[in-house]
């Protein structure tokens, strides 16, 4: 039994660390998961392509949760699954603020359901919730990251309440996107949550803007506020604002994303290219996670 799925990465409109409410948008870069299930092998083993020392607990737990829910003898017509393997491959750099963990979890959950021929047994939002539950369980997220997970699973822009894992709003956007990823990594679980809570009034302003559909101004306010709270320089935001309305620190960093007209983003790329790391152009994505 084999299944395969691909989940998009995402950028940030509102970081949920301050208030528990967040917003994110899917981008056209992917993490792919391939899951092979067995009725004879005990336990689940994971592998991340190109990263032999990567922590695989999240993707393994996602497979385990799906097996527990849909792969047991209680499911008529489904063989009793006892274990398997999961392998992820990604165009998204890990620990870069581009929701690589959420994309890996989403792809793994859907690939496991695909292997069981059971993708119709869960709603897409519940698939995202299962991945969030696994992420909380293994400790790779502070907020649960349902904003990131829902954007990756559903596509488009989502605004969410991460305390009860509900989607408050979803919209589809058609933006070009510029990403700058510095060479360092930043892990969400290491973020200074208390310091972020100090900027809750700004986060609530960003939430209001996002719920009004003013996503670009929302992400810019978010970028300035959370760059300061998380000790990232604000120069990438200020430099981009000469040319675009929407630019932000993505997640807990270190990546920054800017959205808008492609010609304007190419001008921003010229400025960001002077910084160490990688810059690349992509687009928003509205289809969400899909089997492949």
């Amino acid at each position: 039994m084999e299944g395969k799925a691909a989940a998009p990465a995402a950028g940030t409109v509102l970081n949920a660390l301050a208030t528990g409410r967040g917003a994110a948008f899917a981008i056209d870069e992917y993490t792919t998961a391939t899951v092979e299930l067995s009725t004879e092998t005990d336990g689940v083993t994971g592998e991340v392509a190109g990263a032999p020392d990567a922590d695989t607990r999240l993707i393994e737990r996602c497979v385990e949760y799906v097996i527990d829910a849909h792969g047991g003898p209680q499911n008529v017509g489904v063989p009793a699954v006892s274990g398997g393997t999961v392998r992820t491959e990604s165009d998204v750099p890990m620990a870069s603020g581009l929701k690589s963990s959420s994309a890996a979890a989403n792809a793994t959950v859907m690939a496991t359901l695909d292997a069981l021929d059971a993708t119709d047994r869960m709603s897409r939002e519940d698939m995202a919730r299962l991945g969030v539950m696994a992420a909380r369980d293994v400790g790779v997220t502070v907020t649960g990251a349902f904003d990131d997970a829902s954007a990756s699973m559903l596509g488009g822009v989502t605004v969410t309440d991460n305390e009860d894992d509900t989607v408050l709003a979803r919209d589809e956007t058609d933006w070009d996107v510029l990403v700058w990823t510095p060479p360092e990594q930043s892990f969400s679980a290491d973020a200074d949550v208390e310091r972020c809570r100090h900027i809750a009034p700004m986060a609530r302003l960003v939430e209001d803007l996002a719920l009004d559909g003013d996503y670009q101004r929302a992400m810019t306010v978010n970028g300035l506020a959370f760059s300061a709270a998380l000790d990232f320089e604000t120069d990438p935001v200020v430099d981009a604002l000469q040319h675009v309305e929407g630019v932000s620190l993505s997640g807990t960093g270190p990546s920054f994303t800017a959205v808008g007209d492609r010609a304007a983003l190419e001008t921003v790329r010229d400025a960001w290219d002077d910084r160490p790391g990688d810059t690349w152009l992509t687009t928003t994505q509205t289809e969400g996670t899909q089997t492949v």
Side-chain angles (χ1 to χ4, degrees), residues 5-47:
T12 294
V13 174
L14 168 60
N15 190 312
L17 284 176
T19 65
R21 292 194 168 190
F25 60 95
I27 63 175
D28 197 31
E29 302 291 329
Y30 296 87
T31 296
T32 302
T34 303
V35 173
E36 294 184 12
L37 301 179
S38 171
T39 58
E40 300 176 355
T41 304
D42 289 330
V44 177
T45 58
E47 176 188 356

mmCIF file of all heavy atoms in Angstrom, residues 5-47:
data_model
loop_
_atom_site.group_PDB
_atom_site.id
_atom_site.type_symbol
_atom_site.label_atom_id
_atom_site.label_comp_id
_atom_site.label_asym_id
_atom_site.label_seq_id
_atom_site.Cartn_x
_atom_site.Cartn_y
_atom_site.Cartn_z
ATOM 1 N N ALA A 5 1.648 12.464 -1.729
ATOM 2 C CA ALA A 5 0.963 13.757 -1.745
ATOM 3 C C ALA A 5 1.986 14.876 -1.664
ATOM 4 O O ALA A 5 3.103 14.681 -1.160
ATOM 5 C CB ALA A 5 -0.038 13.862 -0.591
ATOM 6 N N ALA A 6 1.596 16.048 -2.162
ATOM 7 C CA ALA A 6 2.463 17.229 -2.126
ATOM 8 C C ALA A 6 1.716 18.382 -1.475
ATOM 9 O O ALA A 6 0.546 18.635 -1.788
ATOM 10 C CB ALA A 6 2.893 17.617 -3.539
ATOM 11 N N ALA A 7 2.392 19.082 -0.573
ATOM 12 C CA ALA A 7 1.799 20.202 0.151
ATOM 13 C C ALA A 7 2.631 21.460 -0.077
ATOM 14 O O ALA A 7 3.860 21.412 -0.033
ATOM 15 C CB ALA A 7 1.734 19.897 1.652
ATOM 16 N N PRO A 8 1.979 22.598 -0.319
ATOM 17 C CA PRO A 8 2.724 23.832 -0.547
ATOM 18 C C PRO A 8 3.268 24.448 0.737
ATOM 19 O O PRO A 8 2.708 24.264 1.820
ATOM 20 C CB PRO A 8 1.682 24.758 -1.180
ATOM 21 C CG PRO A 8 0.381 24.286 -0.625
ATOM 22 C CD PRO A 8 0.526 22.791 -0.482
ATOM 23 N N ALA A 9 4.346 25.184 0.570
ATOM 24 C CA ALA A 9 4.864 26.021 1.646
ATOM 25 C C ALA A 9 3.944 27.218 1.821
ATOM 26 O O ALA A 9 2.925 27.350 1.129
ATOM 27 C CB ALA A 9 6.280 26.470 1.306
ATOM 28 N N ALA A 10 4.289 28.099 2.744
ATOM 29 C CA ALA A 10 3.434 29.267 2.982
ATOM 30 C C ALA A 10 4.252 30.416 3.549
ATOM 31 O O ALA A 10 5.326 30.220 4.124
ATOM 32 C CB ALA A 10 2.295 28.915 3.942
ATOM 33 N N GLY A 11 3.732 31.613 3.359
ATOM 34 C CA GLY A 11 4.291 32.809 3.959
ATOM 35 C C GLY A 11 3.330 33.363 4.997
ATOM 36 O O GLY A 11 2.165 32.965 5.073
ATOM 37 N N THR A 12 3.799 34.313 5.779
ATOM 38 C CA THR A 12 3.029 34.820 6.913
ATOM 39 C C THR A 12 2.355 36.151 6.606
ATOM 40 O O THR A 12 2.967 37.056 6.049
ATOM 41 C CB THR A 12 3.954 34.997 8.132
ATOM 42 O OG1 THR A 12 4.411 33.709 8.547
ATOM 43 C CG2 THR A 12 3.228 35.656 9.290
ATOM 44 N N VAL A 13 1.101 36.249 7.010
ATOM 45 C CA VAL A 13 0.398 37.532 7.087
ATOM 46 C C VAL A 13 0.374 38.001 8.539
ATOM 47 O O VAL A 13 0.663 39.161 8.832
ATOM 48 C CB VAL A 13 -1.034 37.426 6.532
ATOM 49 C CG1 VAL A 13 -1.801 38.730 6.751
ATOM 50 C CG2 VAL A 13 -1.016 37.068 5.053
ATOM 51 N N LEU A 14 0.030 37.103 9.455
ATOM 52 C CA LEU A 14 0.002 37.412 10.891
ATOM 53 C C LEU A 14 0.602 36.259 11.668
ATOM 54 O O LEU A 14 0.127 35.125 11.567
ATOM 55 C CB LEU A 14 -1.445 37.648 11.355
ATOM 56 C CG LEU A 14 -1.687 37.704 12.878
ATOM 57 C CD1 LEU A 14 -0.895 38.834 13.522
ATOM 58 C CD2 LEU A 14 -3.171 37.845 13.172
ATOM 59 N N ASN A 15 1.625 36.543 12.436
ATOM 60 C CA ASN A 15 2.222 35.557 13.325
ATOM 61 C C ASN A 15 1.304 35.359 14.535
ATOM 62 O O ASN A 15 0.856 36.330 15.152
ATOM 63 C CB ASN A 15 3.597 36.050 13.779
ATOM 64 C CG ASN A 15 4.390 34.998 14.520
ATOM 65 O OD1 ASN A 15 3.878 34.335 15.424
ATOM 66 N ND2 ASN A 15 5.655 34.847 14.159
ATOM 67 N N ALA A 16 1.027 34.099 14.878
ATOM 68 C CA ALA A 16 0.067 33.798 15.949
ATOM 69 C C ALA A 16 0.673 33.812 17.348
ATOM 70 O O ALA A 16 -0.054 33.584 18.324
ATOM 71 C CB ALA A 16 -0.589 32.440 15.689
ATOM 72 N N LEU A 17 1.960 34.079 17.478
ATOM 73 C CA LEU A 17 2.595 33.986 18.791
ATOM 74 C C LEU A 17 2.052 35.006 19.790
ATOM 75 O O LEU A 17 2.033 34.744 20.993
ATOM 76 C CB LEU A 17 4.108 34.173 18.663
ATOM 77 C CG LEU A 17 4.896 32.983 18.114
ATOM 78 C CD1 LEU A 17 6.369 33.357 17.966
ATOM 79 C CD2 LEU A 17 4.749 31.766 19.014
ATOM 80 N N ALA A 18 1.593 36.152 19.320
ATOM 81 C CA ALA A 18 1.183 37.211 20.250
ATOM 82 C C ALA A 18 -0.199 36.973 20.832
ATOM 83 O O ALA A 18 -0.423 37.193 22.025
ATOM 84 C CB ALA A 18 1.232 38.567 19.554
ATOM 85 N N THR A 19 -1.151 36.520 20.010
ATOM 86 C CA THR A 19 -2.542 36.448 20.451
ATOM 87 C C THR A 19 -3.194 35.092 20.249
ATOM 88 O O THR A 19 -4.332 34.885 20.678
ATOM 89 C CB THR A 19 -3.400 37.486 19.702
ATOM 90 O OG1 THR A 19 -3.435 37.148 18.306
ATOM 91 C CG2 THR A 19 -2.847 38.889 19.889
ATOM 92 N N GLY A 20 -2.524 34.180 19.563
ATOM 93 C CA GLY A 20 -3.135 32.897 19.246
ATOM 94 C C GLY A 20 -3.921 32.912 17.956
ATOM 95 O O GLY A 20 -4.444 31.876 17.528
ATOM 96 N N ARG A 21 -3.997 34.062 17.307
ATOM 97 C CA ARG A 21 -4.647 34.152 16.007
ATOM 98 C C ARG A 21 -3.596 34.471 14.950
ATOM 99 O O ARG A 21 -2.712 35.311 15.181
ATOM 100 C CB ARG A 21 -5.757 35.202 16.005
ATOM 101 C CG ARG A 21 -6.926 34.772 16.886
ATOM 102 C CD ARG A 21 -8.159 35.591 16.650
ATOM 103 N NE ARG A 21 -9.323 34.982 17.301
ATOM 104 C CZ ARG A 21 -10.572 35.377 17.118
ATOM 105 N NH1 ARG A 21 -10.829 36.381 16.290
ATOM 106 N NH2 ARG A 21 -11.565 34.772 17.736
ATOM 107 N N GLY A 22 -3.699 33.780 13.811
ATOM 108 C CA GLY A 22 -2.682 33.939 12.785
ATOM 109 C C GLY A 22 -3.280 33.919 11.397
ATOM 110 O O GLY A 22 -4.461 33.628 11.208
ATOM 111 N N ALA A 23 -2.449 34.234 10.412
ATOM 112 C CA ALA A 23 -2.867 34.200 9.019
ATOM 113 C C ALA A 23 -1.658 33.894 8.153
ATOM 114 O O ALA A 23 -0.540 34.343 8.437
ATOM 115 C CB ALA A 23 -3.496 35.529 8.595
ATOM 116 N N ALA A 24 -1.886 33.111 7.099
ATOM 117 C CA ALA A 24 -0.798 32.706 6.211
ATOM 118 C C ALA A 24 -1.346 32.504 4.812
ATOM 119 O O ALA A 24 -2.559 32.374 4.608
ATOM 120 C CB ALA A 24 -0.148 31.423 6.729
ATOM 121 N N PHE A 25 -0.442 32.466 3.815
ATOM 122 C CA PHE A 25 -0.846 32.252 2.427
ATOM 123 C C PHE A 25 0.070 31.211 1.790
ATOM 124 O O PHE A 25 1.282 31.182 2.025
ATOM 125 C CB PHE A 25 -0.809 33.555 1.632
ATOM 126 C CG PHE A 25 0.543 34.223 1.552
ATOM 127 C CD1 PHE A 25 1.383 34.004 0.469
ATOM 128 C CD2 PHE A 25 0.971 35.072 2.569
ATOM 129 C CE1 PHE A 25 2.626 34.624 0.400
ATOM 130 C CE2 PHE A 25 2.217 35.699 2.514
ATOM 131 C CZ PHE A 25 3.047 35.469 1.424
ATOM 132 N N ALA A 26 -0.541 30.312 1.005
ATOM 133 C CA ALA A 26 0.210 29.238 0.364
ATOM 134 C C ALA A 26 1.014 29.777 -0.810
ATOM 135 O O ALA A 26 0.579 30.670 -1.534
ATOM 136 C CB ALA A 26 -0.747 28.152 -0.112
ATOM 137 N N ILE A 27 2.223 29.205 -1.005
ATOM 138 C CA ILE A 27 3.068 29.575 -2.136
ATOM 139 C C ILE A 27 3.432 28.330 -2.938
ATOM 140 O O ILE A 27 3.362 27.207 -2.441
ATOM 141 C CB ILE A 27 4.335 30.341 -1.691
ATOM 142 C CG1 ILE A 27 5.225 29.479 -0.798
ATOM 143 C CG2 ILE A 27 3.958 31.633 -0.986
ATOM 144 C CD1 ILE A 27 6.541 30.152 -0.438
ATOM 145 N N ASP A 28 3.832 28.557 -4.172
ATOM 146 C CA ASP A 28 3.985 27.477 -5.150
ATOM 147 C C ASP A 28 5.357 26.795 -5.040
ATOM 148 O O ASP A 28 6.108 26.707 -6.017
ATOM 149 C CB ASP A 28 3.770 28.036 -6.554
ATOM 150 C CG ASP A 28 3.512 26.948 -7.589
ATOM 151 O OD1 ASP A 28 2.937 25.911 -7.230
ATOM 152 O OD2 ASP A 28 3.898 27.154 -8.762
ATOM 153 N N GLU A 29 5.664 26.313 -3.853
ATOM 154 C CA GLU A 29 6.852 25.494 -3.585
ATOM 155 C C GLU A 29 6.389 24.374 -2.677
ATOM 156 O O GLU A 29 5.558 24.601 -1.791
ATOM 157 C CB GLU A 29 7.965 26.302 -2.924
ATOM 158 C CG GLU A 29 8.432 27.508 -3.724
ATOM 159 C CD GLU A 29 9.179 27.146 -4.999
ATOM 160 O OE1 GLU A 29 9.851 26.087 -5.000
ATOM 161 O OE2 GLU A 29 9.097 27.916 -5.977
ATOM 162 N N TYR A 30 6.962 23.171 -2.815
ATOM 163 C CA TYR A 30 6.304 21.993 -2.254
ATOM 164 C C TYR A 30 7.205 21.079 -1.432
ATOM 165 O O TYR A 30 8.410 20.989 -1.664
ATOM 166 C CB TYR A 30 5.688 21.165 -3.398
ATOM 167 C CG TYR A 30 4.613 21.918 -4.120
ATOM 168 C CD1 TYR A 30 4.937 22.769 -5.176
ATOM 169 C CD2 TYR A 30 3.288 21.834 -3.718
ATOM 170 C CE1 TYR A 30 3.950 23.495 -5.829
ATOM 171 C CE2 TYR A 30 2.292 22.558 -4.369
ATOM 172 C CZ TYR A 30 2.642 23.387 -5.419
ATOM 173 O OH TYR A 30 1.666 24.114 -6.042
ATOM 174 N N THR A 31 6.552 20.400 -0.501
ATOM 175 C CA THR A 31 7.108 19.226 0.167
ATOM 176 C C THR A 31 6.254 18.031 -0.244
ATOM 177 O O THR A 31 5.028 18.088 -0.170
ATOM 178 C CB THR A 31 7.082 19.385 1.694
ATOM 179 O OG1 THR A 31 7.934 20.466 2.068
ATOM 180 C CG2 THR A 31 7.553 18.101 2.380
ATOM 181 N N THR A 32 6.922 16.971 -0.676
ATOM 182 C CA THR A 32 6.241 15.761 -1.128
ATOM 183 C C THR A 32 6.517 14.630 -0.160
ATOM 184 O O THR A 32 7.662 14.451 0.287
ATOM 185 C CB THR A 32 6.702 15.365 -2.539
ATOM 186 O OG1 THR A 32 6.443 16.449 -3.427
ATOM 187 C CG2 THR A 32 5.982 14.118 -3.024
ATOM 188 N N ALA A 33 5.501 13.886 0.194
ATOM 189 C CA ALA A 33 5.644 12.728 1.082
ATOM 190 C C ALA A 33 5.226 11.465 0.338
ATOM 191 O O ALA A 33 4.193 11.447 -0.333
ATOM 192 C CB ALA A 33 4.798 12.898 2.333
ATOM 193 N N THR A 34 6.028 10.426 0.496
ATOM 194 C CA THR A 34 5.698 9.102 -0.028
ATOM 195 C C THR A 34 5.600 8.148 1.149
ATOM 196 O O THR A 34 6.539 8.042 1.942
ATOM 197 C CB THR A 34 6.766 8.603 -1.010
ATOM 198 O OG1 THR A 34 6.910 9.553 -2.072
ATOM 199 C CG2 THR A 34 6.387 7.245 -1.589
ATOM 200 N N VAL A 35 4.458 7.492 1.271
ATOM 201 C CA VAL A 35 4.197 6.612 2.413
ATOM 202 C C VAL A 35 3.952 5.193 1.895
ATOM 203 O O VAL A 35 3.163 4.992 0.967
ATOM 204 C CB VAL A 35 2.974 7.093 3.219
ATOM 205 C CG1 VAL A 35 2.603 6.082 4.307
ATOM 206 C CG2 VAL A 35 3.256 8.462 3.838
ATOM 207 N N GLU A 36 4.634 4.234 2.494
ATOM 208 C CA GLU A 36 4.398 2.818 2.208
ATOM 209 C C GLU A 36 3.967 2.147 3.504
ATOM 210 O O GLU A 36 4.687 2.215 4.515
ATOM 211 C CB GLU A 36 5.653 2.150 1.654
ATOM 212 C CG GLU A 36 6.079 2.681 0.288
ATOM 213 C CD GLU A 36 7.264 1.925 -0.281
ATOM 214 O OE1 GLU A 36 7.608 0.850 0.269
ATOM 215 O OE2 GLU A 36 7.847 2.404 -1.272
ATOM 216 N N LEU A 37 2.811 1.520 3.489
ATOM 217 C CA LEU A 37 2.263 0.884 4.677
ATOM 218 C C LEU A 37 2.374 -0.629 4.576
ATOM 219 O O LEU A 37 2.376 -1.199 3.486
ATOM 220 C CB LEU A 37 0.794 1.278 4.865
ATOM 221 C CG LEU A 37 0.524 2.777 5.017
ATOM 222 C CD1 LEU A 37 -0.966 3.027 5.158
ATOM 223 C CD2 LEU A 37 1.288 3.356 6.197
ATOM 224 N N SER A 38 2.457 -1.253 5.740
ATOM 225 C CA SER A 38 2.651 -2.703 5.782
ATOM 226 C C SER A 38 1.732 -3.320 6.826
ATOM 227 O O SER A 38 1.425 -2.702 7.854
ATOM 228 C CB SER A 38 4.112 -3.033 6.122
ATOM 229 O OG SER A 38 4.281 -4.409 6.365
ATOM 230 N N THR A 39 1.301 -4.544 6.553
ATOM 231 C CA THR A 39 0.544 -5.309 7.544
ATOM 232 C C THR A 39 1.459 -6.248 8.319
ATOM 233 O O THR A 39 0.986 -6.991 9.173
ATOM 234 C CB THR A 39 -0.554 -6.142 6.845
ATOM 235 O OG1 THR A 39 0.058 -7.023 5.883
ATOM 236 C CG2 THR A 39 -1.562 -5.236 6.155
ATOM 237 N N GLU A 40 2.755 -6.191 8.022
ATOM 238 C CA GLU A 40 3.710 -7.121 8.638
ATOM 239 C C GLU A 40 4.779 -6.432 9.464
ATOM 240 O O GLU A 40 5.332 -7.017 10.396
ATOM 241 C CB GLU A 40 4.371 -7.971 7.550
ATOM 242 C CG GLU A 40 3.382 -8.797 6.736
ATOM 243 C CD GLU A 40 4.053 -9.550 5.607
ATOM 244 O OE1 GLU A 40 5.281 -9.350 5.415
ATOM 245 O OE2 GLU A 40 3.375 -10.321 4.918
ATOM 246 N N THR A 41 5.097 -5.174 9.135
ATOM 247 C CA THR A 41 6.158 -4.442 9.828
ATOM 248 C C THR A 41 5.583 -3.684 11.011
ATOM 249 O O THR A 41 4.554 -3.014 10.891
ATOM 250 C CB THR A 41 6.835 -3.445 8.878
ATOM 251 O OG1 THR A 41 7.325 -4.149 7.745
ATOM 252 C CG2 THR A 41 7.981 -2.726 9.586
ATOM 253 N N ASP A 42 6.249 -3.773 12.159
ATOM 254 C CA ASP A 42 5.808 -3.014 13.333
ATOM 255 C C ASP A 42 6.503 -1.664 13.372
ATOM 256 O O ASP A 42 7.720 -1.570 13.202
ATOM 257 C CB ASP A 42 6.130 -3.787 14.618
ATOM 258 C CG ASP A 42 5.250 -5.016 14.781
ATOM 259 O OD1 ASP A 42 4.111 -4.978 14.291
ATOM 260 O OD2 ASP A 42 5.710 -5.994 15.396
ATOM 261 N N GLY A 43 5.735 -0.610 13.621
ATOM 262 C CA GLY A 43 6.301 0.720 13.775
ATOM 263 C C GLY A 43 6.475 1.452 12.461
ATOM 264 O O GLY A 43 6.382 0.872 11.376
ATOM 265 N N VAL A 44 6.715 2.766 12.576
ATOM 266 C CA VAL A 44 6.869 3.639 11.418
ATOM 267 C C VAL A 44 8.258 4.262 11.456
ATOM 268 O O VAL A 44 8.705 4.743 12.503
ATOM 269 C CB VAL A 44 5.806 4.753 11.424
ATOM 270 C CG1 VAL A 44 6.016 5.699 10.242
ATOM 271 C CG2 VAL A 44 4.404 4.160 11.395
ATOM 272 N N THR A 45 8.937 4.259 10.331
ATOM 273 C CA THR A 45 10.245 4.916 10.219
ATOM 274 C C THR A 45 10.162 6.001 9.160
ATOM 275 O O THR A 45 9.497 5.845 8.138
ATOM 276 C CB THR A 45 11.347 3.916 9.853
ATOM 277 O OG1 THR A 45 11.018 3.271 8.619
ATOM 278 C CG2 THR A 45 11.516 2.880 10.946
ATOM 279 N N GLY A 46 10.852 7.116 9.428
ATOM 280 C CA GLY A 46 10.809 8.253 8.525
ATOM 281 C C GLY A 46 12.172 8.612 7.987
ATOM 282 O O GLY A 46 13.211 8.300 8.593
ATOM 283 N N GLU A 47 12.166 9.309 6.860
ATOM 284 C CA GLU A 47 13.397 9.755 6.219
ATOM 285 C C GLU A 47 13.126 11.079 5.527
ATOM 286 O O GLU A 47 12.081 11.254 4.897
ATOM 287 C CB GLU A 47 13.870 8.716 5.199
ATOM 288 C CG GLU A 47 15.094 9.128 4.399
ATOM 289 C CD GLU A 47 15.414 8.152 3.268
ATOM 290 O OE1 GLU A 47 14.721 7.121 3.156
ATOM 291 O OE2 GLU A 47 16.336 8.450 2.494
#
